[in-house]
Every structure is written in structure tokens, then in C-alpha cells.
Amino acid sequence: MNERRFFVKNVEETTVVSGEEFRHAVSVLRIGKGDEVVLCDNTRTEYPGTVLAVDKASFTVRVNGKRENKKEATADVTLLCGYLKGDKTEYSVQKAVELGARRIIVFRSEHCAAYMNENKLARLNKVSVEAAKQCGRSIAPQVEYFGDFADALAATDAKNKLFACEFATETTFDLHALRGSTAVVIGPEGGFSEKEARLAAAAGYATISLGKRILRADTAAVTMLSVVMWELGELQ
Ligand code: SAH
């Protein structure tokens, strides 16, 4: 069975876990006194501990030590993706976390058909935490939202900036030579406008074509991240 991992803001010798993490622990995992758990504080360090007590709205963990999490990617990869309809963005976030992305930015662009709100963003962050736990990570990337495409493009200082463009006729970046921090941009269902493609080029993004067929946005996100993670040595 997977280790039972919980994300908290700060880990102390005695740590109280409350809120969503508590509810999940009690209702799904049936956590009890004496159980072994692992606490994560969104760093590469994780903390094994023992449950001291379970109360009505929280449980208390005595931390027994700390160790480096070995599942985090070494590569620093950011996904920027257009906000999608229904639960499609949740899928992209889940897969991005599994594939080891460090940062996830969701943006609104010209051909976006969906509207973000606080609850939906909270839901995406919950998906990130669940995915991180499931694949044994100690960092659940925070999902950030940008209502302006240009702001989203400017929000990363990654060394390599890649723009997946469905109407590009060629790829202007040698992916086999990829090294260092990398950001990948994927459009919404409606794709990008010519103007947005020009904006990305002006912001230093190289154009990537994923071939002859138009992929759905969620497929494109998984494909781009897989290729990038592979080239950075993370999937080997
Ligand atoms: N509605 C658009 C397709 C959008 S696909 C149309 O019919 O043309 C959603 C996003 O996935 C695109 O904006 C792009 O970022 C990515 N994508 C899909 N297929 C791609 C391809 N062949 N090459 C590069 N990017 C692609």
C-alpha cells in the first residue's frame, strides 16, 4: 500500500493536521492512533511520523525524523495551459503532477470557452495534492491562474520556453538538446490566435509542432510534458 502522505504548511515536532487533509484521513483512510504517516510541506524533505491522537477536526502527528523525497524530478518544468471546459483541466493538472511538473499555470486566452472562479481553482489545487500523494511526491505544485495571456507568458523565467502551436509548420527548437529549466505552453480547446502566437514569439518562446494531427489540449499537455521529461532524463 502507498504510504499515507499528508500535506501541511509547516512541519514541527508535533504537527496538527486539519481541514481537507484531516477529512480525507478520517473518512477515506480511517487514520487512527499509532498509525505511521508521512508529512510533506511542499519541499523536497518529507517527515515520517506517528499519529498521537485523532480529534473531531484534526489529528496530531509526532514527527520521528526527516528524509529527502526521492520521487521529485530534478528537472524544473512548468506547464502553462489554457483553461478548459468541464473537468479537462483537472485531467491535465493530474497528469502534469504525475509527470513531475514543478509549477502549473492555467491561463485565459482569446479562444478560451471556460471561466475560472475561486472554487474551480481550489478544486484544481486539490487535484494537484491528490495526484502528488498518489505518486509519492513531497511537492504538490500550486496551480496558479492568470486571466491575461501575456501575464502568463511573462510569469516564468525558465531557460527554455516552448510554445505548442497547432498551426505551426515547423519546430524551431532542438528538443534533443534540451537542458535546464523548461516551460511548455498549451492552448485551450479553441487553440491560439495568430496574435497570441506572435506574442509568445516576442516573449522568447520557441514554436513546437506536434505533427500532422491536431491533438486535444489535454493530450497535447501530456505529450509535451512526456517529451520534455524524457529529454531531460526524468522518465528513464
Ligand atoms: N481548435 C484548434 C485546436 C486546438 S488544440 C483547431 O481546430 O485548430 C489545443 C492545443 O493543443 C493547441 O493550442 C496547441 O497548444 C496544442 N496542439 C494540439 N495539436 C497540436 C499540434 N499538432 N502541434 C502543436 N500543438 C498542438
Side-chain angles (χ1 to χ4, degrees):
M1 192 186 129
N2 260 346
E3 280 170 329
R4 287 183 283 191
R5 317 173 71 77
F6 298 97
F7 281 85
V8 292
K9 277 224 170 71
N10 297 305
V11 177
E12 285 152 45
E13 223 173 292
T14 308
T15 302
V16 176
V17 182
S18 58
E20 191 56 53
E21 292 293 83
F22 165 76
R23 279 188 287 281
H24 182 67
V26 173
S27 61
V28 181
L29 302 172
R30 308 251 168 243
I31 212 97
K33 192 177 166 184
D35 285 354
E36 301 295 325
V37 297
V38 178
L39 297 182
C40 303
D41 59 355
N42 267 319
T43 65
R44 286 175 184 277
T45 305
E46 60 184 30
Y47 305 82
T50 312
V51 175
L52 285 181
V54 180
D55 298 307
K56 276 211 179 92
S58 66
F59 65 93
T60 308
V61 176
R62 191 191 57 233
V63 170
N64 302 325
K66 62 176 177 180
R67 63 190 183 210
E68 193 196 336
N69 176 286
K70 296 273 166 51
K71 309 248 168 121
E72 282 300 327
T74 312
D76 181 353
V77 174
T78 299
L79 169 69
L80 296 100
C81 59
Y83 188 44
L84 306 175
K85 285 190 278 188
D87 58 6
K88 286 273 169 52
T89 313
E90 291 178 21
Y91 176 89
S92 299
V93 166
Q94 184 189 64
K95 301 311 168 207
V97 174
E98 288 173 41
L99 286 164
R102 186 81 57 82
R103 195 172 169 206
I104 301 173
I105 292 172
V106 177
F107 58 80
R108 183 163 176 78
S109 55
E110 219 172 301
H111 300 315
C112 253
Y115 286 89
M116 181 62 91
N117 63 34
E118 231 171 77
N119 287 342
K120 290 177 182 171
L121 188 57
R123 171 73 202 144
L124 290 177
N125 274 292
K126 197 175 157 198
V127 169
S128 173
V129 171
E130 280 167 7
K133 287 181 185 181
Q134 185 272 328
C135 65
R137 292 185 59 172
S138 59
I139 299 175
Q142 202 197 332
V143 182
E144 303 158 61
Y145 177 70
F146 284 83
D148 182 82
F149 182 56
D151 289 347
L153 289 175
T156 171
D157 57 1
K159 177 169 167 248
N160 310 294
K161 298 178 178 178
L162 310 177
F163 180 74
C165 185
E166 69 276 13
F167 49 82
T169 49
E170 55 168 6
T171 291
T172 62
F173 190 97
D174 179 9
L175 284 170
H176 296 310
L178 190 66
R179 300 283 179 279
S181 60
T182 302
V184 305
V185 184
I186 309 289
E189 291 100 339
F192 287 118
S193 67
E194 297 272 356
K195 188 178 154 214
E196 285 169 338
R198 283 196 298 274
L199 213 58
Y205 285 76
T207 302
I208 306 290
S209 164
L210 292 172
K212 303 191 266 291
R213 290 174 299 283
I214 300 282
L215 309 177
R216 282 181 185 267
D218 46 347
T219 314
V222 171
T223 306
M224 270 303 285
L225 284 175
S226 305
V227 168
V228 161
M229 287 296 184
W230 173 270
E231 292 297 346
L232 292 172
E234 292 292 342
L235 294 178
Q236 302 166 42

